[in-house]
Amino acid sequence: MSNLRLRLFRLWPRHLEMLVPLVFVATLLLVSVVYLLLDFQRMRMELSDRYQAHASGLLRWTEANLDTIATELRKSAEGARDLCSGEAMASLRQGINTLVPLTALELRSSDGEACTWRPAKAPPPTCAGAADAGTVRVPMSLGEGWHAILDVRGACLFSALAPSDMAFTVGRSMRPRTKAEPAARQAGTAKQVWSSFLGTLEVEAVSGRWPVAVRVEIGGASVVHNWIKELPLQLSLIGGLSLALWFGPMSVVRSRLSVEGQVRRALRRNDFFLAYLPTVELSSRNWVGAEALLRWRHARYGVLMPGAFIPWIEASPLIHDTTRWVMIRAARDLPEMSRCIPDFSLSVNVPPNQIADPRLIDLADEAFGTQPYAMCQVVIEMTERQMLDHNAPALRHVLAELRRRGAQIAIDDFGSGFSNLTALGMIDADHVKIDRSFLQEEAWTQPNMLEAMMPLLRDIGVLVIAEGIETERQLDRVRRCGIRFAQGFLFARPMELDALLARLANEAERLRA
């Protein structure tokens, strides 16, 4: 179960770090498209309202013209017994032509008498170029049992008033409502949705006094042209909002989902803690020291082992802050251990990319103090997971300063990674910790590397510690090799400070007894 949690922790943030930008861009595109479609629809609604006002204004003008025509017809028809006579017809035409040119005039009486007049000439140029080439049949009551039907070219009623960017029509209402319309609308939903965005925009104003209506049509291209003029502003708003989101709330999300963000938050909230693995003197089984091991109490995955996050931290800028946290916490705990066992030593791991960093000296001073031999109970363990130039002046300077403060130097996991006998000679190590791979029982059929290394290490004069002792058989082997100190689950598992202090108190009581 713990291995599964480690794999999840390693994969989950990395996948999310790659997924967050993709999800953000996809969401941004989707929201932008929806926003632009809604903005386009807003533009259509604004144009519809604007041209509806135009149509209503034109309708009022048309109604006023028709009212005036009706008044003039009634005045011309007063006192005339036979409106179909030449004199009466001429009087009627003269009264109407002063207002609007006629295309036909039809008169009917209640007695059945009827006559029609049509002009011999075409309409005047002011109406010939209008968009509406049709006529409007307007019925009027003239009194005395007479009725008139005027055929008027609709555009001539307001051709001088209509905007030039729209097509207008005057006639009866051209969109009658029928019971079959809802079904037809439902059947053509997709087409209607498409036409609602790019189709011709149509508005209509219907007269309540006359059987006429004014219909205005604006082509889809004209609507798109009006919208495109505002598009740069909308795109700049989307771009600005996107940048604000990416460097604002999304930066917080990215930080929370990334390993770096989680480590920073763990350092700030003290989610890290130290577990201490005792170092045992084999001849007496006394606890003489401990190694500080970093653990992470993760809110999602529980307690994480170093293998899940230490390699990432070592390759990140956070290694300095993490090492500082470890040193300060170890320096705080060491005096409590020393009160139980005075000469108790504490080992602190330092990664290879920081062991040659002069800032490590400042961290040591901040944690353990600047008094002479302030680090006399501290062992700095160099982990050799990366290539390290052991002859570099910076490395020699850092090690010399640490030794001047009383610290001892140990090579961790000796025999694996990049640690070797050449490195051992260059850095003049005090301790060597034999890697656990040399003690695995399934590897004992191989040449006895451990037995071969021990004479060389004794001649160099380093103190040897065996790591990973889990069985009595392994313990017997390291004893036969002359190793005096060891670590491993056979003696104790890593434990937090309270448990360690309780065991050290028992050790102290046992030694006094």
Side-chain angles (χ1 to χ4, degrees):
M1 186 63 183
S2 60
N3 290 335
L4 176 61
R5 289 204 308 268
L6 295 184
R7 288 196 295 269
L8 287 174
F9 177 78
R10 291 168 180 169
L11 296 176
W12 176 70
R14 188 177 305 168
H15 286 181
L16 282 182
E17 286 185 67
M18 296 185 296
L19 192 61
V20 166
L22 297 178
V23 172
F24 178 77
V25 171
T27 304
L28 177 63
L29 290 176
L30 178 61
V31 172
S32 300
V33 169
V34 172
Y35 171 77
L36 292 176
L37 289 176
L38 292 176
D39 183 69
F40 183 75
Q41 191 67 8
R42 175 196 60 80
M43 171 67 72
R44 283 181 64 90
M45 294 298 295
E46 288 183 357
L47 289 176
S48 177
D49 293 341
R50 185 190 310 168
Y51 288 119
Q52 184 69 51
H54 281 308
S56 299
L58 293 175
L59 179 63
R60 288 193 295 270
W61 183 266
T62 301
E63 291 176 331
N65 272 350
L66 292 176
D67 291 341
T68 304
I69 291 171
T71 301
E72 291 297 327
L73 280 175
R74 291 189 185 100
K75 287 181 180 179
S76 300
E78 287 180 358
R81 293 183 178 181
D82 185 7
L83 292 180
C84 288
S85 64
E87 182 181 354
M89 183 67 74
S91 177
L92 292 174
R93 294 199 309 271
Q94 184 179 3
I96 297 173
N97 281 329
T98 58
L99 299 172
V100 64
L102 293 174
T103 59
L105 173 60
E106 182 179 343
L107 298 173
R108 296 179 186 274
S109 69
S110 58
D111 298 335
E113 185 178 356
C115 57
T116 303
W117 172 86
R118 297 183 185 278
K121 295 182 179 180
T126 55
C127 299
D132 182 13
T135 59
V136 180
R137 293 179 63 83
V138 183
M140 295 182 180
S141 176
L142 303 180
E144 303 293 335
W146 284 90
H147 297 275
I149 299 178
L150 282 70
D151 288 357
V152 182
R153 193 175 293 273
C156 294
L157 293 173
F158 50 74
S159 59
L161 300 175
S164 59
D165 61 342
M166 68 180 184
F168 51 88
T169 306
V170 180
R172 294 183 181 273
S173 178
M174 286 149 279
R175 297 191 64 186
R177 307 297 178 186
T178 65
K179 294 182 179 181
E181 184 177 351
R185 187 186 299 122
Q186 191 174 21
T189 301
K191 185 177 180 180
Q192 288 177 355
V193 170
W194 176 257
S195 64
S196 67
F197 284 98
L198 297 178
T200 301
L201 181 62
E202 302 174 357
V203 295
E204 187 178 81
V206 182
S207 173
R209 301 198 306 270
W210 297 97
V212 295
V214 176
R215 184 183 188 187
V216 179
E217 296 181 0
I218 306 96
S222 178
V223 177
V224 172
H225 178 72
N226 281 278
W227 179 68
I228 288 177
K229 288 192 294 186
E230 294 187 4
L231 188 58
L233 175 61
Q234 304 299 338
L235 293 178
S236 63
L237 290 176
I238 292 174
L241 181 60
S242 302
L243 291 176
L245 287 174
W246 181 254
F247 292 105
M250 287 304 299
S251 65
V252 177
V253 173
R254 297 197 313 273
S255 175
R256 287 183 175 273
L257 294 179
S258 66
V259 178
E260 180 177 353
Q262 294 183 66
V263 172
R264 289 186 186 277
R265 194 162 59 255
L267 289 171
R268 187 172 59 252
R269 301 191 318 193
N270 285 325
D271 288 341
F272 290 117
F273 67 96
L274 293 181
Y276 295 98
L277 180 65
T279 300
V280 178
E281 185 182 22
L282 297 182
S283 60
S284 62
R285 293 289 186 103
N286 293 336
W287 289 13
V288 296
E291 179 182 357
L293 303 174
L294 185 62
R295 298 288 187 265
W296 186 352
R297 193 174 284 108
H298 196 279
R300 183 183 180 92
Y301 295 105
V303 176
L304 297 178
M305 296 296 106
F309 59 93
I310 288 296
W312 187 92
I313 292 179
E314 288 182 356
S316 77
L318 292 177
I319 184 59
H320 182 78
D321 296 333
T322 306
T323 302
R324 176 179 179 273
W325 187 93
V326 171
M327 281 195 166
I328 291 176
R329 188 56 55 92
R332 187 196 68 181
D333 295 344
L334 180 58
E336 299 186 50
M337 303 174 194
S338 299
R339 277 195 290 270
C340 297
I341 299 179
D343 295 330
F344 198 80
S345 65
L346 183 61
S347 300
V348 178
N349 290 282
V350 177
N353 59 348
Q354 199 172 15
I355 194 65
D357 189 343
R359 292 181 299 173
L360 182 63
I361 302 172
D362 298 330
L363 292 183
D365 290 342
E366 179 184 0
F368 296 97
T370 57
Q371 297 83 4
Y373 299 100
M375 301 178 67
C376 62
Q377 293 177 255
V378 180
V379 179
I380 300 296
E381 294 191 8
M382 299 173 52
T383 57
E384 297 275 330
R385 287 186 289 270
Q386 301 175 13
M387 179 68 74
L388 185 65
D389 183 5
H390 298 91
N391 202 31
L395 174 62
R396 291 180 175 274
H397 170 70
V398 171
L399 294 180
E401 289 297 319
L402 292 175
R403 282 198 173 93
R404 191 171 63 84
R405 288 160 174 77
Q408 295 181 314
I409 307 300
I411 296 181
D412 195 15
D413 301 328
F414 183 78
S416 65
F418 296 96
S419 61
N420 50 53
L421 292 174
T422 303
L424 184 62
M426 286 183 176
I427 64 175
D428 190 21
D430 302 292
H431 300 175
V432 166
K433 302 183 74 173
I434 302 296
D435 188 69
R436 66 179 63 241
S437 61
F438 292 99
L439 297 175
Q440 293 177 356
E441 296 186 7
E442 57 269 19
W444 287 6
T445 56
Q446 302 298 324
N448 296 329
M449 298 296 298
L450 180 61
E451 288 77 0
M453 285 191 297
M454 285 306 301
L456 294 175
L457 296 176
R458 277 195 294 267
D459 292 342
I460 294 174
V462 296
L463 186 147
V464 180
I465 302 173
E467 294 183 303
I469 305 297
E470 297 180 358
T471 66
E472 291 289 344
R473 188 180 178 194
Q474 291 175 328
L475 178 58
D476 292 339
R477 185 183 179 193
V478 299
R479 278 174 170 169
R480 289 196 303 270
C481 292
I483 297 176
R484 297 171 49 204
F485 300 92
Q487 293 175 331
F489 292 171
L490 180 64
F491 311 111
R493 291 180 175 272
M495 61 191 73
E496 295 189 47
L497 178 63
D498 292 340
L500 177 66
L501 293 178
R503 294 291 296 271
L504 291 181
N506 293 335
E507 285 286 317
E509 289 292 335
R510 185 176 63 85
L511 291 175
R512 283 194 294 268

